[in-house]
């Protein structure tokens, strides 16, 4: 089968490898961009474009494991020019939870801050140090003052990850909720990509 390159957000790396290995997709390779781009969405489009152009000579099939991720449509415009597809949805939270469940969560509380397993596990590095809250704690209210609840969208049933997410909610002064999502949304998107690669092989 034609080899497929998935250019991915580093925050999805462990989930992507877990799904690939469980599915036996040995023809799928990953190149991950730094998860810290989560805090700088204006840099995502150019970083993804550079990876695509670097990989063109080695891969006929390329897929981007980003949602829009705060790029305001810039990522989609670039991917249309490059004739590359991406994950569905506005961001990975919607992709993991599914549109219906995510819509219900948003309707229940618009002021919701979401964590995935990765972001819960690396909250200190990506969010606290990444946003400079360790150096300027007064910024916590600037960034998070309008939130009321933290929701962990859990891919794994892992007590350590849940504890880290609860600690993050306490640090931010937010109510906590856990919603078990698993990998179904991400897995479905990859299955579509694998099927398309098989048809073009």
């Amino acid at each position: 089968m034609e080899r497929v390159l998935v250019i991915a957000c580093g925050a999805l790396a462990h989930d992507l490898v877990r799904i690939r290995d469980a599915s036996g997709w040995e023809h799928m390779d990953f190149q991950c961009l730094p998860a810290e781009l989560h805090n700088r969405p204006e840099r995502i489009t150019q970083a993804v474009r550079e990876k695509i152009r670097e990989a063109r000579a080695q891969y006929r099939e390329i897929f981007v494991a980003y949602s829009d991720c705060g790029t305001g449509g810039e990522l989609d415009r670039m991917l249309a020019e490059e004739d590359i597809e991406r994950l569905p949805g506005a961001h990975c939270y919607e992709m993991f939870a599914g549109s219906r469940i995510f819509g219900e969560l948003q309707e229940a509380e618009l002021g919701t801050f979401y964590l995935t397993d990765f972001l819960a596990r690396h909250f200190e590095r990506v969010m606290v140090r990444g946003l400079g809250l360790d150096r300027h704690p007064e910024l916590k209210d600037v960034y998070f003052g309008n939130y009321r609840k933290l929701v962990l969208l859990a891919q794994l049933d892992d007590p350590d990850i849940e504890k880290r997410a609860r600690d993050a909610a306490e640090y931010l002064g937010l109510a906590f909720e856990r919603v078990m999502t698993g990998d179904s949304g991400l897995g479905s998107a990859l299955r579509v990509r694998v099927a398309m690669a098989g048809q073009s092989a």
Side-chain angles (χ1 to χ4, degrees):
M1 184 177 288
E2 194 81 30
R3 295 203 70 77
V4 176
L5 174 66
V6 179
I7 297 172
C9 172
L12 300 179
H14 290 293
D15 305 296
L16 290 166
V17 170
R18 184 171 62 249
I19 293 168
R20 179 195 63 185
D21 293 349
S23 302
W25 295 332
E26 297 178 356
H27 64 294
M28 185 175 287
D29 300 327
F30 300 116
Q31 291 185 14
C32 292
L33 293 167
E36 284 74 11
L37 287 175
H38 181 273
N39 295 331
R40 301 300 301 268
E42 73 277 6
R43 297 182 179 178
I44 290 173
T45 299
Q46 183 59 30
V48 173
R49 187 197 296 273
E50 291 173 2
K51 284 289 185 184
I52 290 171
R53 294 187 172 177
E54 289 171 6
R56 284 289 193 188
Q58 289 79 39
Y59 295 90
R60 191 171 75 176
E61 292 288 338
I62 300 175
F63 181 65
V64 169
Y66 274 90
S67 298
D68 179 76
C69 297
T71 67
E74 288 186 6
L75 181 62
D76 281 337
R77 287 188 285 275
M78 182 275 289
L79 292 177
E81 294 172 3
E82 300 288 344
D83 194 25
I84 299 289
E85 295 187 27
R86 67 164 175 86
L87 289 174
H91 38 64
C92 62
Y93 311 127
E94 180 180 354
M95 183 269 301
F96 274 124
S99 295
R100 181 184 61 82
I101 292 175
F102 185 76
E104 291 172 355
L105 290 168
Q106 287 287 87
E107 186 175 347
E109 175 54 78
L110 286 175
T112 299
F113 180 69
Y114 296 93
L115 292 181
T116 61
D117 287 1
F118 176 91
L119 290 174
R121 194 182 293 115
H122 299 284
F123 181 80
E124 177 71 22
R125 173 172 65 85
V126 175
M127 303 305 299
V128 177
R129 296 201 300 273
L131 292 174
L133 303 183
D134 55 332
R135 302 181 303 278
H136 301 284
E138 69 276 8
L139 291 176
K140 184 164 63 173
D141 288 338
V142 175
Y143 289 131
F144 298 99
N146 292 324
Y147 290 106
R148 298 291 176 265
K149 179 192 292 187
L150 184 151
V151 172
L152 170 65
L153 300 173
Q155 289 78 71
L156 298 174
D157 188 10
D158 187 321
D160 178 64
I161 291 174
E162 181 173 348
K163 181 183 184 304
R164 290 171 183 265
R166 287 184 179 276
D167 289 345
E170 183 177 355
Y171 170 78
L172 296 174
L174 304 177
F176 176 79
E177 181 179 349
R178 175 181 177 270
V179 176
M180 189 70 198
T181 67
D183 292 320
S184 59
L186 183 55
S188 295
L190 290 181
R191 276 190 290 276
V192 170
R193 188 69 253 169
V194 168
M196 292 178 65
Q199 292 169 5
S200 64

